[in-house]
Amino acid sequence: MSIMFETTRIGSLELNNRFVRSATWEGMAEKDGAMTPRLSQWNEDLAKGGVGLIIASHAYVSPEGQATPLQTGIYKDELIPGLREMVDRVHSHGGIIVQQLAHGGRYAQESMTGRPALMVSEWDGMDKMPGKVMTKDDIAGLAEKFGRAAARAKKAGFDGVQIHSGHGYLLSQFLSPAMNQRTDEYGGPIENRCRIHLEIYRAIRQAVGSDYPVLIKLNCADFIEDGLESKDSLVVAQALEKEGLDALELTGGILSSRTLSPSRANINSQDKEAYFREEAWMFKQNLGIPLILVGGMRSFDLAEQLVSQGSADYVSMSRPFIREPDLVNRWKSGDRAPAKCISDNLCFKPGRAGEGIRCVTAERE
């Protein structure tokens, strides 16, 4: 049996394979962030398709943190019943599902939320996007909001939570020297820039207890001028590991970066896959917790190789599952042909049009 189908553990979770669905935005929720039957079916299909661990779409923890239209919300108790129904459908197929908790920060739009976007500090890279620089009270309130959101996720039946600190969203902005130019205890050296992460982690732990799995999605680097670099990102990961973090999903890049964005296009050969593999190897050598590697994975044999050689413990994908929710079952059956996703990013266009993401290319074919 392939190492990819071994039974493993992340904290208290027992997983039957090493394939993870990385969270994305589906654009299928109600306007207030509530779950819909279509979005529930989406996650149920992933469970039926054999995904070992499903990380549900980035859910905003407070109204001003909404980053995209029809995004899942987890900012009020009234959303719990819909989330619970979806989780129950996933569990009915033996699926394991974790809720990602997020705040859009500067990427949130006042025209959509009705509130000023929160930003860590002024940054020329986004100077055309209006916002409000966060006060210390705002920062203190942020940790509380993440803690309450985690409590809602647990009450809804999720098997764990994941903190989203990648791609230039709010927590990623705190870590980036380019975006964080604060002069107080939340700016300057990496120990200050990651302070909010520790405060949020502790707030979540207080809300969910010591045995509930807590993960993080973390940029290995921003790949922009003066952005977060791997050596500083590793400091953050090690600090969270000491606090009791259960696993790390390693990603990179920010949304406004074209060539080195988190969702790179034209991945048509293995040398273009797993584009954070070198950083993953460095992190694995310096961490004891499980590492989930995301970023352009398309081939089963490369995934198997990276796990076997110790570059990662799990492999995470998003776009391939948009086209093939049953990809893991296909690979397990013996059909090891690469994922059919051609990385053209056309799947996001119907989402931006309010129709929800889907594989446009598969429909054309």
Side-chain angles (χ1 to χ4, degrees):
M1 182 179 66
S2 168
I3 192 173
M4 299 306 295
F5 296 105
E6 290 180 345
T7 299
T8 60
R9 299 189 72 86
I10 292 180
S12 60
L13 299 180
E14 184 173 281
L15 308 178
N16 59 18
N17 63 63
R18 296 178 184 269
F19 291 103
V20 177
R21 186 270 190 165
S22 191
T24 189
W25 161 71
E26 297 95 354
M28 298 179 188
E30 299 286 3
K31 287 185 177 180
D32 68 346
M35 187 58 54
T36 61
R38 184 183 178 194
L39 189 48
S40 289
Q41 185 65 55
W42 180 278
N43 287 290
E44 185 178 0
D45 288 345
L46 291 170
K48 290 192 293 185
V51 178
L53 173 63
I54 300 166
I55 304 179
S57 53
H58 68 149
Y60 53 104
V61 301
S62 59
E64 84 285 342
Q66 183 181 358
T68 46
L70 305 182
Q71 179 185 350
T72 306
I74 195 165
Y75 61 92
K76 59 181 180 179
D77 292 348
E78 288 78 6
L79 300 172
I80 294 174
L83 293 169
R84 183 185 296 117
E85 182 180 353
M86 182 272 287
V87 170
D88 288 345
R89 291 175 65 170
V90 168
H91 286 166
S92 71
H93 299 282
I96 304 293
I97 186 165
V98 163
Q99 178 65 70
Q100 187 181 81
L101 309 177
H103 192 294
R106 194 74 177 271
Y107 281 112
Q109 300 177 34
E110 186 173 356
S111 60
M112 183 170 57
T113 67
R115 296 168 168 85
L118 296 181
M119 54 187 179
V120 180
S121 64
E122 298 286 353
W123 178 42
D124 291 341
M126 300 178 78
D127 59 0
K128 294 182 180 180
M129 299 177 68
K132 172 184 180 290
V133 175
M134 296 180 73
T135 65
K136 290 184 181 180
D137 286 343
D138 291 330
I139 295 173
L142 185 65
E144 182 180 348
K145 290 171 182 176
F146 270 88
R148 289 179 178 176
R152 293 185 190 105
K154 185 176 182 180
K155 189 172 182 179
F158 283 96
D159 301 296
V161 293
Q162 183 190 60
I163 304 165
H164 191 1
S165 183
H167 307 167
Y169 291 115
L170 184 58
L171 298 186
S172 175
Q173 292 168 20
F174 269 97
L175 296 180
S176 177
M179 304 180 221
N180 182 352
Q181 298 172 16
R182 298 180 70 97
T183 57
D184 59 12
E185 63 266 37
Y186 293 95
I190 187 58
E191 291 78 10
N192 285 359
R193 285 182 276 126
C194 78
R195 188 182 303 274
I196 185 60
H197 291 68
L198 300 180
E199 292 173 352
I200 286 173
Y201 177 83
R202 292 164 186 160
I204 289 174
R205 271 284 170 236
Q206 185 174 3
V208 301
S210 59
D211 296 330
Y212 192 71
V214 180
L215 298 73
I216 192 169
K217 187 172 190 175
L218 182 69
N219 263 16
C220 63
D222 292 340
F223 304 108
I224 60 171
E225 185 177 358
D226 298 324
L228 177 71
E229 296 182 354
S230 294
K231 60 180 178 62
D232 278 355
S233 180
L234 179 60
V235 171
V236 180
Q238 290 173 328
L240 287 165
E241 180 181 22
K242 290 179 182 178
E243 292 281 335
L245 186 76
D246 291 290
L248 166 74
E249 184 181 17
L250 197 67
T251 185
I254 65 169
L255 298 176
S256 56
S257 176
R258 296 181 180 178
T259 57
L260 298 178
S261 71
S263 302
R264 301 180 190 179
N266 302 315
I267 303 171
N268 50 25
S269 60
Q270 276 198 13
D271 64 296
K272 295 181 180 179
E273 296 183 33
Y275 32 78
F276 307 124
R277 69 177 83 177
E278 292 182 6
E279 290 84 0
W281 172 258
M282 184 266 283
F283 273 68
K284 274 294 293 176
Q285 304 314 301
N286 292 280
L287 291 173
I289 55 175
L291 187 142
I292 304 165
L293 176 60
V294 72
M297 191 65 65
R298 302 291 180 267
S299 304
F300 179 89
D301 56 342
L302 179 58
E304 187 178 53
Q305 175 187 329
L306 291 169
V307 172
S308 298
Q309 72 183 20
S311 292
D313 299 288
Y314 300 87
V315 168
S316 187
M317 296 175 286
S318 180
R319 287 173 291 171
F321 290 131
I322 296 173
R323 179 162 186 169
E324 296 181 89
D326 61 345
L327 176 59
V328 175
N329 280 345
R330 173 165 74 78
W331 279 344
K332 189 175 183 179
S333 73
D335 180 356
R336 302 289 171 78
K340 296 177 182 178
C341 174
I342 63 172
S343 312
D344 55 15
N345 287 337
L346 296 180
C347 46
F348 298 118
K349 287 189 175 181
R352 288 191 287 269
E355 303 169 3
I357 60 173
R358 65 179 189 272
C359 186
V360 176
T361 300
E363 293 175 355
R364 290 175 176 173
E365 292 176 359

